[in-house]
Amino acid sequence: MPQDERQRSKSRASTSRAVARPPARAKVPLRKLLKVASVAGGIQFGWALQLSLLTPYVQELGIPHAWASIIWLCGPVSGLFVQPLVGHFSDRCTSRFGRRRPFIVGGAISIAVAVLLIGHSADIGWLLGDRGDFRPRAIAVFVFGFWILDVANNMTQGPCRALLADLTGKDHRRTRVANAYFSLFMAVGNILGYATGSFSAHEVPLGSRDQSAPFSEEGHEQSSDVHEAFLWELFGTFRYFSGTIWIILIVTALTWLGWFPFLLFDTDWMGREIYGGEPNEGQNYATGVRMGALGLMLNSVVLGITSVLMEKLCRKWGAGFIWGISNILMALCFLAMLILYYVAIHMDYRGHDLPPNGIVIAALIIFTILGGPLAITYSVPYALVSIRTESLGLGQGLSLGVLNLAIVIPQIVVSMGSGPWDQLFGGGNSPAFAVGGISALAGGLIAILAIPRSSAQKPRALP
């Protein structure tokens, strides 16, 4: 009898555990992840078009090259506040449309308005009375539109990535796949945007889910009350971070310290350093900007291909190792840009002729190769942070907002310092690229040596 009682006791305990265990959450189909990630394509189209033409455009509006990067300061300043707050509020949103969708839709509408303002800033300035080479009203409209664009970009991308993390849950492999999809659609948007930018670099102003279970994929968990929603308390969450998370944030900051000089000055570098032109002085600069946009389009093709291969690469070598190698490759590409500029200035075409085909092809090859590291940057850090902050009780929106801090702070540094720094060394873009290369190399070495590799996972079919 005692033995029978022990068996009944074990049976009751087993039944109790079975009741206490929550039901397994059904995996979201990959096609739904694709639909969510496709938001990135529309966002990135407008963003890519602006990235390829903004620095040349503001100089054509009359802003000196040394101060052109200051215009970009509005982006990181808004991102420093907007994405953590939007992430927090989307974690706690109780709308019948879901936690993330209201922010995604509102951000998308704002992006459309901002792109129209930026694209027609010269026309609006002319209507308001601008005449001559210096157009202060057009500059004011441009800065206002650009500020809205960056706020809307943070307002849309953060909740979209958080929604992907909600959908994938604790499945680390699906988290990497979802972020690779996001990177893939960013590549599609980039290709379309940069292709458009490669056709024209000069503006002529006027006068011259499922109905049966709607929105359930977004989950119902609420973030811990310990982490309240205000920015000053956001910094208090840092004390809960493990050493690995801190390393990820440091590598992210170094990586973006490397990327921002390129993203700000890529087409301007092609127009100035390779084609030897100046804004509003002849056709060489405009031709170089269009060729730079073509290079960025090729860059985006490689970005898309790398995004498709991302999961296989990370599963075989580890995400941290792949990230580190991509940063080292980025540093080598920046070094090649410096060497190419050195070769160009010792040739006699600058100022009166177009560059030789070999110089242009070499520059396009460098732009193209950089698409691989850019795909890693768009995907791996977000997947690593989503995986490692889940146990902290932070909502995914707030977690990605924390990661955004490691992105916008380097951008502030680059925006404030790159123009005067370049001017100090002769007015070109090369000094900023040199600093970017050193930062990328440091970030790559830290990622390889300090980010622990994930344990090997056996490949399994994704339904």
Side-chain angles (χ1 to χ4, degrees):
M1 293 297 290
Q3 188 175 8
D4 292 340
E5 289 178 1
R6 283 196 296 270
Q7 290 177 348
R8 285 195 296 269
S9 177
K10 290 181 181 179
S11 177
R12 286 194 299 268
S14 176
T15 303
S16 176
R17 285 193 298 268
V19 171
R21 186 183 300 116
R25 185 179 177 183
K27 290 184 177 180
V28 176
L30 289 180
R31 62 179 179 273
K32 181 164 289 187
L33 296 180
L34 274 170
K35 290 178 182 178
V36 175
S38 65
V39 173
I43 298 170
Q44 202 66 19
F45 172 78
W47 196 239
L49 190 60
Q50 306 307 321
L51 282 173
S52 64
L53 301 179
L54 281 188
T55 298
Y57 184 52
V58 297
Q59 294 178 79
E60 291 182 0
L61 291 178
I63 298 177
H65 177 266
W67 300 105
S69 63
I70 299 297
I71 298 297
W72 292 83
L73 189 60
C74 60
V77 169
S78 63
L80 182 65
F81 297 95
V82 171
Q83 193 164 103
L85 292 177
V86 167
H88 167 80
F89 288 126
S90 70
D91 286 340
R92 288 159 172 76
C93 181
T94 58
S95 169
R96 66 188 181 92
F97 297 107
R99 291 193 292 168
R100 317 295 183 187
R101 288 178 178 82
F103 296 92
I104 295 173
V105 172
I109 294 173
S110 300
I111 288 173
V113 172
V115 169
L116 289 173
L117 281 175
I118 293 172
H120 295 85
S121 58
D123 297 338
I124 297 173
W126 187 88
L127 291 172
L128 294 177
D130 276 346
R131 299 295 185 269
D133 293 333
F134 182 68
R135 291 170 266 183
R137 297 169 183 83
I139 293 172
V141 173
F142 172 88
V143 172
F144 177 70
F146 186 55
W147 198 295
I148 295 177
L149 177 64
D150 202 88
V151 169
N153 191 48
N154 283 291
M155 183 177 175
T156 308
Q157 288 206 45
C160 186
R161 286 189 183 272
L163 178 55
L164 288 173
D166 291 340
L167 294 171
T168 55
K170 297 182 179 181
D171 191 329
H172 296 177
R173 187 185 179 201
R174 277 179 173 266
T175 299
R176 294 195 300 266
V177 169
N179 280 279
Y181 285 166
F182 196 90
S183 178
L184 173 62
F185 278 102
M186 290 183 78
V188 172
N190 278 339
I191 291 171
L192 297 175
Y194 291 139
T196 304
S198 68
F199 284 110
S200 175
H202 180 73
E203 176 175 348
V204 179
L206 289 172
S208 50
R209 181 175 46 121
D210 191 354
Q211 292 295 325
S212 62
F215 318 124
S216 64
E217 78 276 9
E218 296 183 20
H220 59 275
E221 303 84 3
Q222 295 297 314
S223 296
S224 171
D225 291 337
V226 174
H227 308 297
E228 290 299 323
F230 303 102
L231 189 62
W232 53 86
E233 296 197 12
L234 169 65
F235 289 97
T237 65
F238 289 169
R239 66 182 183 271
Y240 297 103
F241 288 173
S242 65
T244 300
I245 296 178
W246 279 110
I247 292 169
I248 293 171
L249 295 177
I250 291 171
V251 175
T252 299
L254 289 171
T255 300
W256 282 102
L257 197 58
W259 274 122
F260 279 123
F262 177 77
L263 296 177
L264 265 63
F265 300 119
D266 41 23
T267 53
D268 185 67
W269 175 83
M270 186 74 84
R272 287 176 179 272
E273 274 84 338
I274 299 302
Y275 276 76
E278 293 290 338
N280 299 319
E281 296 182 10
Q283 292 300 311
N284 276 20
Y285 181 79
T287 303
V289 169
R290 287 195 295 271
M291 192 59 65
L294 174 62
L296 293 175
M297 185 190 72
L298 299 174
N299 170 289
S300 300
V301 173
V302 176
L303 192 158
I305 295 172
T306 307
S307 299
V308 173
L309 302 175
M310 189 87 65
E311 165 58 18
K312 292 183 178 179
L313 293 172
C314 292
R315 190 173 65 240
K316 182 175 182 179
W317 300 103
F321 181 79
I322 293 296
W323 190 8
I325 292 298
S326 73
N327 274 22
I328 294 174
L329 177 59
M330 177 171 63
L332 292 176
C333 286
F334 291 160
L335 175 61
M337 292 174 71
L338 297 176
I339 294 174
L340 189 63
Y341 172 60
Y342 178 82
V343 172
I345 62 176
H346 287 83
M347 303 180 72
D348 60 356
Y349 72 87
R350 290 167 58 86
H352 58 83
D353 202 359
L354 294 175
N357 290 336
I359 295 289
V360 176
I361 292 173
L364 291 176
I365 290 174
I366 295 171
F367 275 42
T368 303
I369 293 174
L370 282 168
L374 191 58
I376 307 297
T377 303
Y378 282 162
S379 176
V380 169
Y382 299 92
L384 290 176
V385 165
S386 294
I387 291 168
R388 284 172 169 80
T389 60
E390 188 176 11
S391 61
L392 299 179
L394 290 171
Q396 289 294 343
L398 189 57
S399 300
L400 296 174
V402 170
L403 179 65
N404 192 61
L405 296 178
I407 298 174
V408 299
I409 292 175
Q411 189 177 357
I412 292 174
V413 173
V414 172
S415 296
M416 293 184 66
S418 58
W421 176 260
D422 291 345
Q423 196 68 23
L424 183 64
F425 287 90
N429 299 304
S430 297
F433 287 159
V435 174
I438 294 171
S439 300
L441 178 61
L445 295 175
I446 294 174
I448 293 173
L449 298 175
I451 297 180
R453 288 202 193 187
S454 302
S455 57
Q457 299 180 23
K458 293 181 180 180
R460 60 183 186 276
L462 292 175

